[in-house]
Amino acid sequence: MRGLEEEFIPSTPGKFKDKTYYSVNRQFHRCFTSTSTMFLWALFLIALTASYLSFQSFMDSGTRYLSSTRGSLQWEKQVRDSAQIHRVNGMSVLVTGAAGFVGSHVSIALKKRGDGVVGLDNFNNYYDPSLKKARKNLLNSRNIFIVEGDINDMRMLAKLFDIVAFTHVMHLAAQAGVRYAMENPQSYVHSNIAGLVTLLEACKNANPQPAIVWASSSSVYGLNEKVPFSESDRTDQPASLYAATKKAGEEITHTYNHIYGLSITGLRFFTVYGPWGRPDMAYFSFTRNILQGKPITVYRGKNRVDLARDFTYIDDVVKGCVGSLDTAGKSTGSGGKKRGPALYRIFNLGNTSPVTVPMMVGMLEKHLKVKAKKHVLDMPGNGDVPFTHANISFARKELGYKPTTDLQTGLRKFVRWYLSYYGYSQEKSVK
Ligand SMILES: O=C(O)[C@H]1O[C@H](OP(=O)(O)OP(=O)(O)OC[C@H]2O[C@@H](n3ccc(=O)[nH]c3=O)[C@H](O)[C@@H]2O)[C@H](O)[C@@H](O)[C@H]1O
């Protein structure tokens, strides 16, 4: 039999110097010669680990939500409490992507007026997850519980519908970003196609079936040149895989409406921006770079034409989302079968006043009081479209949607938030 000492001899002699090995081993022996000393050491280490873990869990719990295992009684109670309705004729809404930009804002707006809200988010690392955690803490402080899970997890979705009879689903979980689709195409299929179908299956099976409002995108207009973009315009020329998955989502949701009687409202968002926004978007990353003195890349279209976007402020979009939930009507199916026709709608949620990207940069420079170091580049073939411009008359008529924040005002509010969130001194930088 090999002795304890032999066990420590490296199997490839020559890699380590024996001298070092034996001197270390002698010290090791001195420390652990008696079993009782080893036992005490073990106890000490266990106690140390346990206290570290409980401290971590205390730190992670955000505010009032102490960590509880998914599926436990405590977890079910948190889901149920969060879904509680506190107003007459209120609704209980499952918000997917609740730790995201639009999801966090919509969740807060619904909770504020007394609706029940349960969030769902997978906290992926497409962009800084600490921002998602900070949004989660904000929601927790408003008594909104966020379940950590993926929309592809059918069992988890079925469990949530078992616990709560959600009247509505606000589906905002998605793989966003136009240009990232060239880097990671599968993530778009995973979230925007497979995840969407899993969610629709769960909604179809639920009893009662919820009405669904979900995020499509202005990018479905693709290479369409007719402006402004109306819902009835052609959307069969997507310029990016992102756009193609959103367009596919519109078709997929249509089949669930047709076959199973699910009430569906698709919202084509136009470059939504504002406080607590997405760091991958141009206005956000430009702000970061300008403040850090780093250059920004400004793309330019064909024939040196500036790119333009119908930038839409988050509060306006939230009103459009809430208006859609309020007017969604009921899904008609039960037991997985359609019992009558249900609403199928698509709305543009834009601002109706496009602004060029260089003008947007100029506004940021003004609010930040810092000049940007601009690199102007011809737009590479990366899925971008040259401009977007929404016709919002349908949303105005059906939802009472009326955007009120222009880009100048909205960016001022964004910059104020940015400086405060990232700890810059406000007086110096913002008027
Ligand atoms: O309406 C939508 O449905 C989409 O809106 C948003 O896409 P976009 O309108 O492309 O926003 P965003 O990336 O901020 O680029 C804005 C402008 O800056 C230009 N741009 C961008 C980056 C850069 O480094 N330089 C640059 O000039 C760029 O060429 C573009 O002209 C969402 O990200 C997307 O998830 C989806 O919701």
Side-chain angles (χ1 to χ4, degrees), residues 93-98 102-103 106 120 151-152 157 168-175 191-200 203 211-216 246 253 265-267 269 321 325:
V93 189
L94 174 65
V95 179
T96 72
V102 181
V106 171
L120 174 65
I151 48 169
N152 283 282
L157 289 175
H168 295 75
V169 170
M170 182 83 225
H171 176 46
L172 298 165
Q175 177 57 60
S191 295
N192 303 357
I193 307 275
L196 174 66
V197 171
T198 310
L199 180 77
L200 290 168
C203 293
I212 298 162
V213 177
W214 74 286
S216 182
K246 285 296 182 182
T253 50
T265 305
L267 303 175
F269 292 162
C321 291
L325 290 166

CSV table of all heavy atoms in Angstrom, one decimal, residues 93-98 102-103 106 120 151-152 157 168-175 191-200 203 211-216 246 253 265-267 269 321 325:
chain,number,residue,atom,x,y,z
A,93,VAL,N,-51.0,40.8,-14.4
A,93,VAL,CA,-50.3,40.7,-15.6
A,93,VAL,C,-48.9,40.0,-15.4
A,93,VAL,O,-48.2,40.3,-14.4
A,93,VAL,CB,-49.9,42.1,-16.1
A,93,VAL,CG1,-49.3,42.1,-17.5
A,93,VAL,CG2,-51.2,43.0,-16.2
A,94,LEU,N,-48.6,39.0,-16.2
A,94,LEU,CA,-47.3,38.4,-16.2
A,94,LEU,C,-46.5,39.3,-17.2
A,94,LEU,O,-46.8,39.3,-18.4
A,94,LEU,CB,-47.4,37.0,-16.7
A,94,LEU,CG,-46.0,36.3,-16.9
A,94,LEU,CD1,-45.3,36.1,-15.6
A,94,LEU,CD2,-46.2,34.9,-17.6
A,95,VAL,N,-45.4,39.9,-16.7
A,95,VAL,CA,-44.6,40.7,-17.6
A,95,VAL,C,-43.3,40.0,-17.8
A,95,VAL,O,-42.5,39.8,-16.9
A,95,VAL,CB,-44.3,42.1,-16.9
A,95,VAL,CG1,-43.4,42.9,-17.9
A,95,VAL,CG2,-45.6,42.9,-16.7
A,96,THR,N,-43.1,39.5,-19.1
A,96,THR,CA,-41.8,38.9,-19.4
A,96,THR,C,-40.8,39.9,-19.8
A,96,THR,O,-41.2,41.0,-20.3
A,96,THR,CB,-41.9,37.9,-20.6
A,96,THR,OG1,-42.1,38.6,-21.8
A,96,THR,CG2,-43.1,36.9,-20.3
A,97,GLY,N,-39.5,39.7,-19.4
A,97,GLY,CA,-38.5,40.7,-19.6
A,97,GLY,C,-38.7,41.9,-18.7
A,97,GLY,O,-38.4,43.0,-19.0
A,98,ALA,N,-39.1,41.5,-17.5
A,98,ALA,CA,-39.5,42.6,-16.5
A,98,ALA,C,-38.2,43.3,-16.0
A,98,ALA,O,-38.3,44.5,-15.5
A,98,ALA,CB,-40.2,42.0,-15.3
A,102,VAL,N,-37.9,48.4,-21.2
A,102,VAL,CA,-39.4,48.6,-21.3
A,102,VAL,C,-40.1,47.9,-20.2
A,102,VAL,O,-41.1,48.4,-19.6
A,102,VAL,CB,-39.9,48.3,-22.7
A,102,VAL,CG1,-41.4,48.7,-22.8
A,102,VAL,CG2,-39.1,49.1,-23.7
A,103,GLY,N,-39.7,46.6,-20.0
A,103,GLY,CA,-40.4,45.8,-19.0
A,103,GLY,C,-40.5,46.3,-17.6
A,103,GLY,O,-41.5,46.3,-16.9
A,106,VAL,N,-42.9,49.4,-17.6
A,106,VAL,CA,-44.4,49.0,-17.7
A,106,VAL,C,-44.8,48.4,-16.4
A,106,VAL,O,-45.9,48.6,-15.9
A,106,VAL,CB,-44.6,48.0,-18.9
A,106,VAL,CG1,-46.0,47.5,-18.9
A,106,VAL,CG2,-44.3,48.7,-20.2
A,120,LEU,N,-40.9,38.2,-15.0
A,120,LEU,CA,-40.2,37.0,-15.4
A,120,LEU,C,-39.0,37.5,-16.2
A,120,LEU,O,-39.2,38.4,-17.1
A,120,LEU,CB,-41.0,36.1,-16.3
A,120,LEU,CG,-40.4,34.9,-16.9
A,120,LEU,CD1,-39.9,33.9,-15.8
A,120,LEU,CD2,-41.3,34.1,-17.8
A,151,ILE,N,-38.2,32.1,-20.9
A,151,ILE,CA,-39.5,31.8,-21.5
A,151,ILE,C,-39.5,30.5,-22.3
A,151,ILE,O,-40.6,30.0,-22.7
A,151,ILE,CB,-39.9,33.0,-22.5
A,151,ILE,CG1,-38.7,33.3,-23.4
A,151,ILE,CG2,-40.4,34.2,-21.7
A,151,ILE,CD1,-39.1,34.2,-24.6
A,152,ASN,N,-38.4,29.9,-22.4
A,152,ASN,CA,-38.3,28.5,-23.1
A,152,ASN,C,-38.6,27.4,-22.1
A,152,ASN,O,-38.7,26.3,-22.5
A,152,ASN,CB,-36.9,28.3,-23.7
A,152,ASN,CG,-36.8,29.0,-25.0
A,152,ASN,OD1,-37.3,28.6,-26.0
A,152,ASN,ND2,-36.1,30.2,-25.0
A,157,LEU,N,-43.4,27.9,-16.8
A,157,LEU,CA,-44.5,28.8,-17.3
A,157,LEU,C,-45.8,28.1,-16.8
A,157,LEU,O,-46.7,28.8,-16.3
A,157,LEU,CB,-44.5,28.9,-18.8
A,157,LEU,CG,-43.4,29.8,-19.4
A,157,LEU,CD1,-43.4,29.8,-20.9
A,157,LEU,CD2,-43.5,31.2,-18.9
A,168,HIS,N,-53.7,38.9,-18.3
A,168,HIS,CA,-52.9,39.4,-19.4
A,168,HIS,C,-51.4,39.0,-19.3
A,168,HIS,O,-50.9,38.8,-18.2
A,168,HIS,CB,-52.9,41.0,-19.4
A,168,HIS,CG,-54.2,41.6,-19.6
A,168,HIS,ND1,-55.2,41.6,-18.7
A,168,HIS,CD2,-54.8,42.2,-20.7
A,168,HIS,CE1,-56.3,42.2,-19.1
A,168,HIS,NE2,-56.0,42.6,-20.4
A,169,VAL,N,-50.8,38.9,-20.5
A,169,VAL,CA,-49.4,38.7,-20.5
A,169,VAL,C,-48.8,39.9,-21.3
A,169,VAL,O,-49.3,40.2,-22.4
A,169,VAL,CB,-49.0,37.4,-21.2
A,169,VAL,CG1,-47.5,37.3,-21.5
A,169,VAL,CG2,-49.4,36.2,-20.3
A,170,MET,N,-47.8,40.6,-20.7
A,170,MET,CA,-47.1,41.6,-21.4
A,170,MET,C,-45.8,41.0,-21.8
A,170,MET,O,-44.9,40.9,-20.9
A,170,MET,CB,-47.0,42.8,-20.5
A,170,MET,CG,-46.3,44.0,-21.1
A,170,MET,SD,-47.4,45.0,-22.1
A,170,MET,CE,-46.5,45.3,-23.5
A,171,HIS,N,-45.6,40.6,-23.1
A,171,HIS,CA,-44.5,39.9,-23.4
A,171,HIS,C,-43.4,40.8,-24.0
A,171,HIS,O,-43.5,41.2,-25.2
A,171,HIS,CB,-44.9,38.8,-24.4
A,171,HIS,CG,-43.7,38.0,-25.0
A,171,HIS,ND1,-42.7,37.5,-24.1
A,171,HIS,CD2,-43.4,37.6,-26.2
A,171,HIS,CE1,-41.8,36.9,-24.9
A,171,HIS,NE2,-42.2,36.9,-26.1
A,172,LEU,N,-42.4,41.1,-23.2
A,172,LEU,CA,-41.3,42.0,-23.6
A,172,LEU,C,-39.9,41.3,-23.6
A,172,LEU,O,-38.9,41.9,-24.0
A,172,LEU,CB,-41.3,43.2,-22.7
A,172,LEU,CG,-42.6,44.0,-22.8
A,172,LEU,CD1,-42.6,45.0,-21.6
A,172,LEU,CD2,-42.7,44.8,-24.1
A,173,ALA,N,-39.9,40.0,-23.2
A,173,ALA,CA,-38.6,39.3,-23.2
A,173,ALA,C,-38.2,39.0,-24.6
A,173,ALA,O,-39.1,38.6,-25.4
A,173,ALA,CB,-38.7,38.0,-22.4
A,174,ALA,N,-37.0,39.4,-25.0
A,174,ALA,CA,-36.6,39.1,-26.4
A,174,ALA,C,-35.1,39.3,-26.5
A,174,ALA,O,-34.5,39.9,-25.6
A,174,ALA,CB,-37.3,40.2,-27.3
A,175,GLN,N,-34.5,38.8,-27.6
A,175,GLN,CA,-33.2,39.2,-28.0
A,175,GLN,C,-33.3,40.5,-28.8
A,175,GLN,O,-33.8,40.4,-29.9
A,175,GLN,CB,-32.5,38.1,-28.7
A,175,GLN,CG,-31.0,38.4,-29.1
A,175,GLN,CD,-30.2,38.8,-28.0
A,175,GLN,OE1,-29.9,38.1,-27.1
A,175,GLN,NE2,-29.7,40.1,-28.0
A,191,SER,N,-34.7,33.1,-28.4
A,191,SER,CA,-35.7,34.0,-27.7
A,191,SER,C,-36.9,34.4,-28.5
A,191,SER,O,-38.0,34.3,-28.0
A,191,SER,CB,-35.0,35.2,-27.1
A,191,SER,OG,-34.0,34.9,-26.2
A,192,ASN,N,-36.7,34.9,-29.7
A,192,ASN,CA,-37.7,35.5,-30.4
A,192,ASN,C,-38.6,34.6,-31.2
A,192,ASN,O,-39.7,34.9,-31.6
A,192,ASN,CB,-37.2,36.6,-31.4
A,192,ASN,CG,-36.3,37.6,-30.7
A,192,ASN,OD1,-36.2,37.6,-29.5
A,192,ASN,ND2,-35.7,38.5,-31.4
A,193,ILE,N,-38.1,33.4,-31.4
A,193,ILE,CA,-38.9,32.4,-32.1
A,193,ILE,C,-39.3,31.2,-31.2
A,193,ILE,O,-40.5,31.1,-30.8
A,193,ILE,CB,-38.2,31.8,-33.4
A,193,ILE,CG1,-37.7,32.9,-34.3
A,193,ILE,CG2,-39.1,30.8,-34.1
A,193,ILE,CD1,-38.6,33.4,-35.3
A,194,ALA,N,-38.3,30.5,-30.7
A,194,ALA,CA,-38.6,29.3,-29.9
A,194,ALA,C,-39.3,29.8,-28.5
A,194,ALA,O,-40.3,29.2,-28.1
A,194,ALA,CB,-37.3,28.5,-29.6
A,195,GLY,N,-38.7,30.8,-27.9
A,195,GLY,CA,-39.3,31.3,-26.7
A,195,GLY,C,-40.7,31.8,-26.8
A,195,GLY,O,-41.6,31.6,-26.0
A,196,LEU,N,-40.9,32.5,-27.9
A,196,LEU,CA,-42.3,33.0,-28.2
A,196,LEU,C,-43.3,31.9,-28.3
A,196,LEU,O,-44.4,31.9,-27.7
A,196,LEU,CB,-42.2,33.9,-29.5
A,196,LEU,CG,-43.6,34.4,-30.0
A,196,LEU,CD1,-44.2,35.4,-29.0
A,196,LEU,CD2,-43.5,35.1,-31.3
A,197,VAL,N,-42.9,30.9,-29.1
A,197,VAL,CA,-43.8,29.7,-29.2
A,197,VAL,C,-44.1,29.0,-27.9
A,197,VAL,O,-45.3,28.7,-27.6
A,197,VAL,CB,-43.3,28.7,-30.3
A,197,VAL,CG1,-44.1,27.5,-30.4
A,197,VAL,CG2,-43.2,29.4,-31.7
A,198,THR,N,-43.1,28.9,-27.1
A,198,THR,CA,-43.3,28.2,-25.8
A,198,THR,C,-44.2,29.0,-24.9
A,198,THR,O,-45.2,28.5,-24.3
A,198,THR,CB,-41.9,28.1,-25.1
A,198,THR,OG1,-41.0,27.5,-25.9
A,198,THR,CG2,-42.1,27.2,-23.8
A,199,LEU,N,-44.0,30.4,-25.0
A,199,LEU,CA,-44.9,31.2,-24.2
A,199,LEU,C,-46.4,31.1,-24.7
A,199,LEU,O,-47.3,31.0,-23.9
A,199,LEU,CB,-44.4,32.7,-24.3
A,199,LEU,CG,-45.3,33.6,-23.5
A,199,LEU,CD1,-45.0,33.5,-22.0
A,199,LEU,CD2,-45.1,35.1,-23.9
A,200,LEU,N,-46.5,31.1,-26.0
A,200,LEU,CA,-47.9,31.1,-26.6
A,200,LEU,C,-48.5,29.7,-26.3
A,200,LEU,O,-49.7,29.7,-26.0
A,200,LEU,CB,-47.8,31.2,-28.1
A,200,LEU,CG,-47.4,32.7,-28.6
A,200,LEU,CD1,-47.1,32.7,-30.1
A,200,LEU,CD2,-48.6,33.7,-28.3
A,203,CYS,N,-49.8,30.0,-22.8
A,203,CYS,CA,-51.0,30.9,-22.8
A,203,CYS,C,-52.2,30.1,-23.3
A,203,CYS,O,-53.3,30.2,-22.8
A,203,CYS,CB,-50.8,32.1,-23.6
A,203,CYS,SG,-49.5,33.2,-22.9
A,211,ALA,N,-55.0,37.5,-22.3
A,211,ALA,CA,-54.8,38.3,-23.5
A,211,ALA,C,-53.3,38.7,-23.6
A,211,ALA,O,-52.7,38.9,-22.6
A,211,ALA,CB,-55.6,39.6,-23.5
A,212,ILE,N,-52.8,38.7,-24.8
A,212,ILE,CA,-51.3,38.9,-24.9
A,212,ILE,C,-51.0,40.2,-25.7
A,212,ILE,O,-51.6,40.5,-26.8
A,212,ILE,CB,-50.7,37.8,-25.7
A,212,ILE,CG1,-50.9,36.5,-24.9
A,212,ILE,CG2,-49.2,38.0,-25.9
A,212,ILE,CD1,-50.7,35.2,-25.8
A,213,VAL,N,-50.1,41.0,-25.1
A,213,VAL,CA,-49.6,42.2,-25.8
A,213,VAL,C,-48.1,42.0,-25.8
A,213,VAL,O,-47.5,41.6,-24.8
A,213,VAL,CB,-49.9,43.5,-25.0
A,213,VAL,CG1,-49.3,44.7,-25.6
A,213,VAL,CG2,-51.4,43.7,-24.8
A,214,TRP,N,-47.5,42.2,-27.0
A,214,TRP,CA,-46.1,41.8,-27.1
A,214,TRP,C,-45.3,42.8,-28.0
A,214,TRP,O,-45.9,43.6,-28.7
A,214,TRP,CB,-45.9,40.4,-27.6
A,214,TRP,CG,-46.2,40.3,-29.1
A,214,TRP,CD1,-47.4,40.3,-29.7
A,214,TRP,CD2,-45.2,40.1,-30.2
A,214,TRP,NE1,-47.3,40.1,-31.0
A,214,TRP,CE2,-46.0,40.0,-31.4
A,214,TRP,CE3,-43.9,40.0,-30.2
A,214,TRP,CZ2,-45.4,39.9,-32.6
A,214,TRP,CZ3,-43.2,39.9,-31.4
A,214,TRP,CH2,-44.0,39.8,-32.6
A,215,ALA,N,-44.0,42.8,-27.8
A,215,ALA,CA,-43.2,43.8,-28.5
A,215,ALA,C,-42.7,43.3,-29.9
A,215,ALA,O,-41.9,42.4,-29.9
A,215,ALA,CB,-41.9,44.1,-27.7
A,216,SER,N,-43.2,43.9,-30.9
A,216,SER,CA,-42.6,43.7,-32.2
A,216,SER,C,-41.7,44.8,-32.4
A,216,SER,O,-41.2,45.4,-31.4
A,216,SER,CB,-43.7,43.6,-33.3
A,216,SER,OG,-43.1,43.4,-34.6
A,246,LYS,N,-38.7,39.2,-35.7
A,246,LYS,CA,-39.9,40.0,-35.2
A,246,LYS,C,-41.1,39.8,-36.1
A,246,LYS,O,-42.2,39.7,-35.7
A,246,LYS,CB,-39.5,41.4,-35.0
A,246,LYS,CG,-38.7,41.7,-33.7
A,246,LYS,CD,-39.5,41.3,-32.5
A,246,LYS,CE,-38.7,41.6,-31.2
A,246,LYS,NZ,-39.4,41.2,-30.0
A,253,THR,N,-47.9,34.7,-33.9
A,253,THR,CA,-49.0,35.1,-33.0
A,253,THR,C,-50.3,35.1,-33.8
A,253,THR,O,-51.3,34.8,-33.2
A,253,THR,CB,-48.7,36.5,-32.4
A,253,THR,OG1,-48.4,37.4,-33.5
A,253,THR,CG2,-47.6,36.5,-31.4
A,265,THR,N,-52.0,41.5,-29.3
A,265,THR,CA,-51.7,42.9,-29.8
A,265,THR,C,-50.2,43.0,-30.0
A,265,THR,O,-49.5,42.8,-29.0
A,265,THR,CB,-52.2,43.9,-28.8
A,265,THR,OG1,-53.6,43.7,-28.5
A,265,THR,CG2,-51.9,45.3,-29.3
A,266,GLY,N,-49.7,43.2,-31.2
A,266,GLY,CA,-48.3,43.4,-31.4
A,266,GLY,C,-48.0,44.9,-31.5
A,266,GLY,O,-48.7,45.6,-32.2
A,267,LEU,N,-46.9,45.3,-30.8
A,267,LEU,CA,-46.5,46.7,-30.8
A,267,LEU,C,-45.2,46.9,-31.5
A,267,LEU,O,-44.2,46.3,-31.1
A,267,LEU,CB,-46.4,47.2,-29.4
A,267,LEU,CG,-47.7,47.0,-28.5
A,267,LEU,CD1,-47.5,47.5,-27.1
A,267,LEU,CD2,-48.9,47.8,-29.1
A,269,PHE,N,-42.3,48.9,-31.8
A,269,PHE,CA,-41.6,50.0,-31.1
A,269,PHE,C,-40.6,50.7,-32.0
A,269,PHE,O,-39.9,50.0,-32.8
A,269,PHE,CB,-40.8,49.4,-29.9
A,269,PHE,CG,-41.7,48.9,-28.8
A,269,PHE,CD1,-41.1,48.0,-27.8
A,269,PHE,CD2,-43.0,49.2,-28.6
A,269,PHE,CE1,-41.8,47.5,-26.8
A,269,PHE,CE2,-43.7,48.7,-27.5
A,269,PHE,CZ,-43.1,47.8,-26.6
A,321,CYS,N,-48.3,50.8,-24.2
A,321,CYS,CA,-48.4,49.4,-23.7
A,321,CYS,C,-49.6,49.3,-22.8
A,321,CYS,O,-50.4,48.3,-22.9
A,321,CYS,CB,-47.2,49.1,-22.9
A,321,CYS,SG,-45.7,49.0,-23.9
A,325,LEU,N,-53.1,47.0,-23.2
A,325,LEU,CA,-53.6,46.0,-22.2
A,325,LEU,C,-55.0,46.3,-21.9
A,325,LEU,O,-55.9,45.4,-21.9
A,325,LEU,CB,-52.7,46.0,-20.9
A,325,LEU,CG,-51.3,45.5,-21.1
A,325,LEU,CD1,-50.5,45.9,-19.8
A,325,LEU,CD2,-51.3,43.9,-21.2
